[in-house]
Amino acid sequence: MKKKNGKALLPILVFLFMYLGLGLIFEYRLKIPMGFYNIPIIIAFLVSILVACLQNRALSFDKKLEIMGQGVGDKNIITMLLIFLVAGTFVGVVGRSSAESVAYFMLSFIPGRYSVAVLFVVACFVSTAMGTSVGTITLLTPIAVSVAEVSGFSVPLCVGTVMGGAMFGDNLSFISDTTIAACNGQGCEMKDKFRENLGIAVPAALVTLVIILVLSFNADIKPMPVQPYNLLQILPYVLVLIGGIAGVNVFVVLLIGIVSGSVIMLATGQTAAVELLSSMGTGASGMFETCMVAVLVAAMCALIREYGGFEALLSFIRKVFKGKKAGQLGMGMLVGVMDIATANNTVAIVMANPIAKEMSEEYEITPRKAASLLDTFSCVFQGVIPYGAQMLVAISAAANLGFQVSAFDIMPFLLYPYLLLVSSLLYIFVFDKRGKKS
């Protein structure tokens, strides 16, 4: 066991100062639009790695490179990178028109009074199929604003509902980068993590749906127009969802989605073969930053672990969180703090993974439960922070349609993330009877 060394955590503090500190200054002090995301996360991690390399002079630079190489070369990291790229390719193939078809199909046969409830269900389905909350919000926010405009519901309610549904899929989807990161980091099967997650996410979603329906009863409803849609374009999402739930290997599931999506897009004349290949490349390259972050975090965490930083953090957690249930809460708070700092739930999970792995050994928490807790708590915090990508994208999309709303207008209507936190706490402290390692 390595000797604990709190100073080894300095690279993380440097990253937090650069990414969170400067981002807040840009966004709220200098009033730079999307200022928080003008701080390049890759550069922030590179500076942090430089700080880590300058620490512990007892090790040569070559030895530090070797340690970082071992961290990056881990099987879970390589698997994660490949899945990221294949998932990006799938999203590039099917495009937005397929998800729009899903949305308008469901809205076409539901009464206008229940349109907000339908928005939530559609957002849950689309985000689970697409595996991206930001993509879902980008796609459905214009629809949400349109629903508010023609039905009489408030824009913050409709937008907040879409954001909540988007976080549902971000948490559960088999192709979500958070699910991929959590499962590979903790060494569990995606289907096992999915089943563990259902007991937390579904009750929160059902209560959210009930509250939305109650809020809808007294609304002044107007007729709502529905845009044309193509049922055939829904098929790739349905196949991916069914394959994922059935426990089919994630690579096979994504390949089925890519092939079926390609055939449909070509057969229906939605795109040409050359454009389809270009879309595949664009989708895969869209995962570049996520892949680089995974690599850089793995390298930095390898040095921090070698220096004794994780032992120092674990020692603190052991003192504060006593017992298995408190240990699970500590794991959730760990990834939550990381998410508040980075405003990126995938990055938060990747950073928390090595520490959470050791915590699961310490508190006898199963890998499936650890992965579920990491993903769930990261989505709770990511779904409500006012400077997160999800919130900023929603506000921008609404503004482009002429509706000015602020994060603080939307936050009271983020019902699902709040209820997901309540459901998580109940699951840990009241209903959980399983989880001890065999």
Side-chain angles (χ1 to χ4, degrees), residues 2-15 47-57 59 64 297 299-314 338 351 355:
K2 298 185 184 298
K3 185 177 179 180
K4 62 182 181 181
N5 176 17
K7 294 180 180 179
L9 297 171
L10 179 61
I12 294 179
L13 296 178
V14 171
F15 171 78
V47 173
S48 302
I49 289 177
L50 175 61
V51 172
C53 289
L54 294 175
Q55 291 180 300
N56 196 352
R57 296 185 179 180
L59 294 178
K64 292 173 182 176
V297 168
M300 184 178 74
C301 287
L303 287 178
I304 293 174
R305 181 197 297 273
E306 180 68 24
Y307 298 165
F310 288 165
E311 284 301 323
L313 191 54
L314 283 170
M338 295 292 189
M351 291 182 69
I355 303 174

Side-chain angles (χ1 to χ4, degrees), residues 22-43:
L22 293 179
L24 290 174
I25 291 172
F26 283 14
E27 183 74 28
Y28 298 105
R29 178 67 177 175
L30 301 179
K31 305 296 182 181
I32 299 175
M34 301 289 284
F36 194 87
Y37 293 92
N38 285 332
I39 308 299
I41 191 171
I42 292 178
I43 300 302

